[in-house]
Amino acid sequence: MPGAEFQAAKSVFMGAIGVVHNAALATPAFEASPKHGYSRAMRPDRLNPLFVAADSLKGVGTGLARPLERLGLTRVKDFAYHLPDRFVTRRAVADLDQASVGENVVVGLTPVEYRSSAGRGPFRVLAADEAGNVCAITYFGRNTGWARKALPLGEKRWIAGRLDQYGQMLQIVHPDHVSDESGLALGQLVEPVYPLSEGLTQGRLAALVHQALERMPDLPEWIEPGLADKMQWPLWRDALELAHRSEHAAARDRLAYDELLANSLALMLVRRDNRARAGTPLHGDGSLRGKLKLPFGLTGAQSRAVREIEGDLAQPSPMLRLLQGDVGSGKTVVALEAMLLAVEAGTQAALLAPTEILARQHHETLTRMAAGTGATIALLTGRDKGRARESILMGLLDGSIQIVVGTHAIFQDAVAYKNLALVVIDEQHRFGVGQRLMLTQKGRRAPHCLAMTATPIPRTLTLAQYGEMDVSRLDEMPPGRQPIDTRVVAIERLGDVIGAIGRHLESGSQAYWVCPMVREQENEDLAAAEARYAELKARFGDSVVLVHGQLKGEVKDAAMERFASGAARLLVATTVIEVGVDVPNATLMVIEQAERFGLAQLHQLRGRVGRGEGKSTCLLLRGEALSETARERLALMRETQDGFRLAEEDLRLRGGGELLGTRQSGDTPFRVASLEQIQKLLPLAHDDARLLIERDGGLTGERGEAARLLLYLFERDWGVQLLRGG
Ligand code: ADP
Ligand code: MG
């Protein structure tokens, strides 16, 4: 596999599928199967220009690689699909009297004076308009040479930028464009604003997008012609162009629809394939489960889910079931029951977790809970090397290990099982369908698959993500849970909050302190988290530990372990603790800059407390200036603990559409489609996909062929490989 493509695959959420996909291709069992005979080379040639690495674009050197990768921009097609968040619209004005402060304008100004300030102050160019108004054009930073060059004294320039006021003076800070021709500046009255990462500028990115668009081929239409007409959707290539040029709703909808259609199609192909495959019917005799000593009885919902799973496992066709239950609803023990049943039936079970931390914790929990049963449970993560790893691999191969818990390391090609019959995937929204699929290629017969998720997905999204699955819901919490006292506190009261933490720790309880980590500002965010940690450590000493995504695995584990064991009392973390961590003695959580998190994410985070008998508290620290929507969202967090309600409301509140593409970070498997578009278009895509498969199940007709291109385009090619004969 070419290095660039590998890198590309690594950085993108859906791209992750590509990695796994290709790893799985190396598995002999996989290639030997004529039905699944498939190779990457089968990607149709006409799509190749789209998948060429980003550094083939002019101007992409090593310096840009990191910033681009952070945005998931690693192949030419990623740029074409990097859609603007919004557009700036500027007004051309003859003089500044016609403009108001805060407005984006294009205006002709003649520089009259340079003013450098002492020390680190900005460089200002005073410039006059036709009417004699003076405005400062302001630059921060050391190098003023190029500003002097771009704005020579006495020569008129066309300036595009935002008009601000600084004291009594009008100013434009870092103008977007400076040009000596009116045409250039006036040609850019409407300009896209792209999501950026550190080290990139709008201009740079726009130029790369432009190049990428020029390389897009024409592709045949995969959308049902009647539908495309009715919606007045442009052709694929035109839609890409238009979506970068203006707020063209039809173009954006079409692009979103493509993605949704690809997803629906692929899911249906998976489902169809799964129905046709042979599984192993599992009948447990209860011998192990009978020895399970739980400190609690199962809730009604848990028992129901266990029964549903038992029913599926007894079938000859492989189970494909989603266990959906809010944070803390007790999914782990349901998984354990299922895995023990598989062991009773003389087979093996695997539990896949999205992070090392979670894998370790599951391993501990399961080992503890299942201590009396005699089942052998091993842990395998990417960090196991050498002897230790070899011995686990042997155990899996000879069957002496009956249950394995791990990260995606458990389904790499080197890992072979004696008879894997059940795969459980925890926090499954973290994985792509392709990964789930590849995992189920491990056994000679298709293993049963139980996917678990705490994400309270609105119904519309359930269809998108789990369209191919049966669903069990844990709609009942274990008894004795108390509602979490949630409060919104202004950041100015930080001192009080730290005081409260002190009293809380003194009382013998533990606490979390969560700092935001948002992609765009990652360095800044990391620095902020570290500063907060230092501050809290200065106050509370060694009982404070820090965990964030950029720490080495061992360091993270050590910190988590100290916290889980109670040796550490306060865990400062970024959102790495969002999933799964279970420390019942931690009953206080502080979330900084809560307004920057999505509701679903806040809900997941908050779910880390309120897990024991004790009363729990969650303090949402908010910044000073909050938008109306942000205020409403935080109020909602205070009001309800119902994950489904929060998810639906989140969707509604975002529906207001502050941004064009209210894209989410990894909560959905989509990069192009916004939540709004998913709601609006997914049912259509679903029906369209079903019809297409009914009519042309092998995707061999004209539209079928086009649909194959679509699957490759959105990297749902695991859908294509399921088609008989490739
Ligand atoms: P999640 O669904 O979020 O994965 P867990 O499986 O981690 O939830 O369970 C959350 C906590 O609830 C754990 O401490 C677990 O031991 C406990 N728990 C699970 N089921 C029950 C039950 N029926 N009664 C009481 N406590 C339970
Ligand atoms: Mg869990």
Side-chain angles (χ1 to χ4, degrees):
M1 169 178 202
E5 206 169 301
F6 181 74
Q7 286 309 321
K10 243 178 27 184
S11 60
V12 194
F13 173 70
M14 287 313 289
I17 288 164
V19 174
V20 175
H21 187 101
N22 283 280
L25 283 178
T27 318
F30 189 80
E31 279 197 328
S33 151
K35 184 172 162 195
H36 297 287
Y38 164 79
S39 79
R40 186 111 244 184
M42 286 180 56
R43 183 169 66 218
D45 289 345
R46 63 203 304 180
L47 290 181
N48 288 347
L50 287 116
F51 286 85
V52 174
D55 57 14
S56 74
L57 294 172
K58 244 193 295 151
V60 180
T62 42
L64 278 191
R66 272 283 291 156
L68 291 176
E69 198 180 300
R70 260 188 252 138
L71 291 172
L73 303 177
T74 54
R75 295 152 307 177
V76 169
K77 93 178 179 86
D78 301 327
F79 290 84
Y81 273 106
H82 193 62
L83 302 181
D85 267 342
R86 59 194 171 83
F87 289 83
V88 235
T89 309
R90 303 194 184 95
R91 208 155 59 84
V93 292
D95 58 54
L96 292 168
D97 291 331
Q98 293 179 16
S100 30
V101 170
E103 198 179 7
N104 287 299
V105 293
V106 177
V107 63
L109 296 173
T110 307
V112 292
E113 183 189 339
Y114 296 140
R115 271 195 200 163
S116 336
S117 40
R120 309 192 90 217
F123 174 66
R124 292 201 166 85
V125 179
L126 301 190
D129 68 5
E130 298 273 278
N133 300 301
V134 173
C135 167
I137 303 166
T138 305
Y139 294 92
F140 291 89
R142 292 282 170 83
N143 188 356
T144 59
W146 62 271
R148 290 170 197 258
K149 216 180 222 164
L151 293 162
L153 295 182
E155 289 180 36
K156 185 169 178 178
R157 289 290 181 268
W158 293 90
I159 314 285
R162 203 183 111 108
L163 188 66
D164 284 328
Q165 193 157 6
Y166 173 73
Q168 290 303 310
M169 188 177 261
L170 290 171
Q171 78 169 346
I172 295 175
V173 180
H174 290 256
D176 302 330
H177 302 281
V178 175
S179 162
D180 50 6
E181 267 175 70
S182 63
L184 256 182
L186 292 173
Q188 273 152 335
L189 289 178
V190 175
E191 228 176 8
V193 179
Y194 292 106
L196 290 181
S197 67
E198 224 172 273
L200 268 176
T201 60
Q202 290 296 343
R204 276 280 189 51
L205 199 47
L208 296 173
V209 167
H210 182 74
Q211 283 184 62
L213 287 175
E214 288 194 325
R215 295 204 201 166
M216 292 299 110
D218 284 314
L219 296 177
E221 186 56 274
W222 44 73
I223 297 180
E224 220 270 302
L227 180 65
D229 280 354
K230 189 177 127 211
M231 306 300 255
Q232 303 194 327
W233 283 340
L235 293 174
W236 174 73
R237 196 169 185 277
D238 298 339
L240 279 176
E241 297 260 354
L242 289 166
H244 284 279
R245 209 181 298 150
S246 68
E247 294 187 22
H248 198 298
R252 269 187 103 108
D253 279 355
R254 190 241 140 92
L255 297 175
Y257 183 83
D258 288 346
E259 189 180 37
L260 297 171
L261 181 63
N263 195 67
S264 290
L265 261 177
L267 289 178
M268 276 175 214
L269 293 170
V270 171
R271 175 92 220 201
R272 187 180 65 175
D273 179 72
N274 198 67
R275 284 220 181 95
R277 292 181 75 193
T280 313
L282 300 178
H283 300 282
D285 57 7
S287 57
L288 297 186
R289 283 170 291 163
K291 291 189 204 137
L292 197 58
K293 283 195 198 66
L294 296 174
F296 46 74
L298 294 188
T299 63
Q302 284 170 320
S303 305
R304 201 175 340 109
V306 170
R307 276 199 306 277
E308 284 166 348
I309 293 165
E310 277 174 356
D312 286 358
L313 293 177
Q315 304 299 317
S317 72
M319 168 170 79
L320 209 49
R321 183 170 287 277
L322 178 72
L323 179 62
Q324 194 178 33
D326 213 341
V327 242
S329 59
K331 294 182 288 294
T332 318
V333 65
V334 174
L336 178 60
E337 295 265 355
M339 293 194 289
L340 288 176
L341 190 158
V343 177
E344 286 168 13
T347 61
Q348 292 168 299
L351 172 65
L352 173 68
T355 62
E356 297 254 359
I357 290 180
L358 204 51
R360 258 157 229 282
Q361 186 180 295
H362 273 321
H363 179 248
E364 268 161 42
T365 311
L366 296 177
T367 307
R368 184 163 24 86
M369 284 205 280
T373 67
T376 39
I377 307 180
L379 174 71
L380 179 64
T381 73
R383 233 179 303 142
D384 295 305
K385 301 265 146 61
R387 283 264 177 80
R389 178 177 153 87
E390 286 308 313
S391 108
I392 294 168
L393 294 191
M394 279 310 296
L396 291 172
L397 193 59
D398 67 19
S400 56
I401 294 174
Q402 294 160 318
I403 295 175
V404 65
V405 181
T407 55
H408 56 278
I410 64 176
F411 63 105
Q412 276 159 4
D413 38 342
V415 185
Y417 293 82
K418 180 164 186 242
N419 52 5
L420 178 65
L422 170 64
V423 172
V424 181
I425 307 177
D426 194 23
E427 305 296 349
Q428 88 105 49
H429 62 287
R430 292 283 168 126
F431 300 94
V433 185
Q435 283 175 312
R436 300 193 320 246
L437 179 66
M438 285 314 135
L439 197 54
T440 59
Q441 306 287 357
K442 268 287 171 191
R444 188 160 308 138
R445 288 163 168 270
H448 298 281
C449 179
L450 177 66
M452 310 201 287
T453 187
T455 310
I457 318 136
R459 294 233 162 228
T460 39
L461 289 187
T462 315
L463 187 65
Q465 282 180 287
Y466 313 116
E468 88 277 35
M469 302 187 132
D470 300 308
V471 180
S472 295
R473 271 176 227 280
L474 296 184
D475 51 9
E476 177 188 355
M477 280 288 171
R481 294 282 162 81
Q482 296 191 37
I484 300 164
D485 181 11
T486 304
R487 298 183 210 170
V488 181
V489 183
I491 185 72
E492 293 86 60
R493 292 184 49 208
L494 185 66
D496 296 345
V497 171
I498 293 180
I501 293 255
R503 288 191 296 280
H504 181 82
L505 299 183
E506 259 161 42
S507 78
S509 302
Q510 289 163 279
Y512 295 102
W513 189 293
V514 183
C515 302
M517 180 71 93
V518 175
R519 201 179 48 195
E520 262 82 345
Q521 282 101 343
E522 62 191 25
N523 285 341
E524 230 170 84
D525 285 342
L526 199 58
E530 273 166 353
R532 186 66 77 214
Y533 166 66
E535 181 183 350
L536 291 166
K537 199 171 156 109
R539 175 78 183 258
F540 301 116
D542 281 343
S543 66
V544 188
V545 287
L546 173 69
V547 173
H548 60 70
Q550 304 199 4
L551 290 175
K552 277 222 183 74
E554 298 85 51
V555 180
K556 247 189 286 190
D557 284 354
M560 277 314 296
E561 254 159 51
R562 283 194 62 211
F563 188 69
S565 72
R569 317 298 298 171
L570 176 60
L571 176 69
V572 180
T574 56
T575 44
V576 283
I577 59 158
E578 182 191 345
V579 288
V581 176
D582 186 32
V583 181
N585 188 45
T587 49
L588 172 63
M589 173 174 283
V590 177
I591 305 179
E592 260 192 78
Q593 299 186 43
E595 69 273 13
R596 285 176 64 193
F597 294 88
L599 278 182
Q601 206 180 10
L602 283 176
H603 179 68
Q604 292 277 317
L605 283 167
R606 180 172 61 180
R608 299 304 114 219
V609 296
R611 301 174 84 80
E613 307 277 88
K615 181 129 192 83
S616 290
T617 307
C618 178
L619 302 179
L620 303 173
L621 294 191
R622 64 161 181 81
E624 290 152 43
L626 281 197
S627 72
E628 194 50 41
T629 314
R631 216 172 277 279
E632 231 183 295
R633 292 167 66 217
L634 292 184
L636 208 61
M637 283 301 296
R638 221 169 38 209
E639 209 175 285
T640 182
Q641 238 155 280
D642 177 339
F644 282 93
R645 162 113 199 271
L646 284 169
E648 299 281 1
E649 289 291 319
D650 206 12
L651 207 55
R652 187 180 65 78
L653 288 176
R654 284 175 200 237
E658 300 173 351
L659 302 175
L660 269 181
T662 41
R663 268 166 297 184
Q664 276 201 308
S665 58
D667 283 2
T668 82
F670 303 115
R671 286 189 76 188
V672 182
S674 69
L675 282 169
E676 229 179 315
Q677 288 170 318
I678 294 170
Q679 274 205 316
K680 184 170 66 175
L681 300 173
L682 187 70
L684 282 176
H686 198 73
D687 289 346
D688 197 7
R690 200 177 45 223
L691 267 177
L692 178 59
I693 290 182
E694 270 168 24
R695 283 192 212 139
D696 180 11
L699 299 185
T700 50
E702 197 179 325
R703 224 189 121 209
E705 287 285 350
R708 280 178 192 235
L709 289 176
L710 177 69
L711 289 170
Y712 280 105
L713 180 62
F714 282 101
E715 289 158 275
R716 260 75 167 177
D717 31 337
W718 33 269
V720 184
Q721 59 154 315
L722 292 174
L723 296 168
R724 254 159 229 287

